Amino acid sequence: MEANYPKYVPYGLLVVGSWLLSCLLHFHVFHVALFPYPASVLVSRRVAADGSCVGRRRSSPAKKVEAEAEAKCDGRYVYMLEVPPRFQMLAECVQGSPVFENPNHVCVLMVNSGLGRVIPAAAGNASFDGDIIPNTGWYNTDQYALEVIFHNRMRHYECLTGDLAAATAVYVPFYPALELNRHNCWSTAKERNGLSGEFLRWLSTQPSWAAHGGRDHFMVAARTTWLFRRRDEAGDALGCGNGFLAQPESGNMTVLTYESNIWDRRDFAVPYPTYFHPSSAGEVAAWQDTVRANRRPWLFAFAGGRRANGTLPIRDHIIDECTASPPARCGMLDCSHGRSATCRSPRRLVGLFASARFCLQPRGDSFMRRSSIDTVLAGCIPVFFHEASTFKHQYRWHERDDDTTTTTDAGRRRYSVVINPQDVVEGRVRIDEVLSRFTDDEVAAMREEVIKMIPRFVYKDPRVKFQGDMNDAFDVTFNEIMARMRRIKKGEMLRWK
């Protein structure tokens, strides 16, 4: 049968073949002679878009950037799970939704990627003596917002991967605290445990779970550990918490809470979010200078309220002593029932703490208080009344300098005071007498240690590219998580001391 293609086609193929052969000879004679690398080192040659012959002796800039990125992410790749819609707590927070008409709705509280509403600039009668908060970078951040803030930081993490096999860790973007907040304290245990238990059952069936039984998974539960450890069999049919952290699935994961049980750890404590969310290291340095230079007329300060029926006598004693003190001795915001609105003002809280040398932090509903973090933010020396409230026991990742390798008591620089509450309540010591014994030099040294801790206790604005070099609370936490995950992947047994 006669061929159907034109007769000049074979001649064209012959010309192209001759041209390719000449390119090969050109590369061999000149390039190999000048750069006599072994054959295994020579990279494949290519034909440029303009038809010229190009011999590639080294990686292109794009390849180099890719290699550098891979090296930077080595051992730090994270796979982020896709949570089904029924487990997404903010699914209704869409633009134009009527829920935004309620100023106390969770969708309103979690605007700006979890930071909350911007704190308006102080003007006219809204300002007061001691108000030092700048007009930018500060938000009315809800104390339970860390799940949302952390998730938004992870969305911009540079080493996210869609390859589960390449991941060192798996991030679980479920919000157990926001889910628990949907139930009141009079709901049944079944209601409070329902959705979170269903989520854990779903999670344990995912492909990511199979390899290590969830030990390479991590997540945030933005409340204290006690709210997630309620067991039905312990007679807790009614209450404000659930059993999320009492389940075997959550026990396998690395879970971040605001306060951990130092006697039976199953989770890791990380700081409450503050009101300050910087976008640059310069903003943080400027704020440190502000609190370092601020005048501090009061010896000590306290923001809080009494508890019904005297259930926390140390609080009653603090309020009584502060009330009886001379005006220049103690500053106080009484947050007892009916007066809590003032204590929800970031300007008044931070202004109070920034005007005192020591800030009293007795336990409240649990050992850790958000007020303790506000104290650090204001550069005020925290005074604790329980060992379980101290940063040494709770925020061990954050209280030490990045370059501090020792965690022994002898190697720690002092930045806080601990007073036995029984000594105070039973009249053996007075708070003002204990604090008055510190010299001006000792106070200045402790305050400087607190001020140096500020970067490690604030969370950057997750919406912008941070300017400057600074590890915030997220960075400190994440570095520790990834180090832990690498040890898990190596098969090391990780036990609490």
Side-chain angles (χ1 to χ4, degrees), residues 126-148:
S127 62
F128 60 94
D129 290 341
D131 177 15
I132 61 172
I133 288 184
N135 292 332
T136 59
W138 290 72
Y139 298 80
N140 205 334
T141 305
D142 186 83
Q143 63 177 334
Y144 302 124
L146 186 57
E147 293 164 346
V148 181

Side-chain angles (χ1 to χ4, degrees), residues 462-479:
R463 302 165 300 171
V464 300
K465 181 175 176 58
F466 191 81
Q467 301 298 314
D469 185 17
M470 186 196 89
N471 281 349
D472 71 339
F474 172 91
D475 296 320
V476 172
T477 300
F478 188 78
N479 289 339

Side-chain angles (χ1 to χ4, degrees), residues 382-387 390 414 416-421 434 438:
V383 179
F384 300 111
F385 296 86
H386 303 85
E387 284 292 335
T390 61
R414 189 170 191 177
S416 64
V417 178
V418 180
I419 301 176
N420 188 318
V434 173
F438 291 96

Side-chain angles (χ1 to χ4, degrees), residues 27 31 43-46 53-58:
F27 175 76
H31 292 264
V43 236
S44 62
R45 52 186 295 281
R46 63 181 175 87
C53 299
V54 180
R56 296 175 60 193
R57 293 178 284 105
R58 55 179 64 87

Side-chain angles (χ1 to χ4, degrees), residues 321-388:
E321 182 172 337
C322 194
T323 303
S325 297
R329 204 68 169 168
C330 176
M332 183 174 67
L333 285 177
D334 190 348
C335 305
S336 300
H337 182 67
R339 304 177 183 176
S340 59
T342 300
C343 292
R344 288 197 296 267
S345 167
R347 290 191 179 278
R348 290 194 175 276
L349 280 171
V350 176
L352 170 72
F353 292 155
S355 300
R357 280 166 276 178
F358 298 92
C359 291
L360 310 185
Q361 299 299 331
R363 65 162 296 174
D365 297 328
S366 59
F367 290 105
M368 291 309 304
R369 308 172 66 210
R370 177 179 176 164
S371 178
S372 300
I373 312 304
D374 296 334
T375 293
V376 173
L377 186 64
C380 186
I381 302 165
V383 179
F384 300 111
F385 296 86
H386 303 85
E387 284 292 335

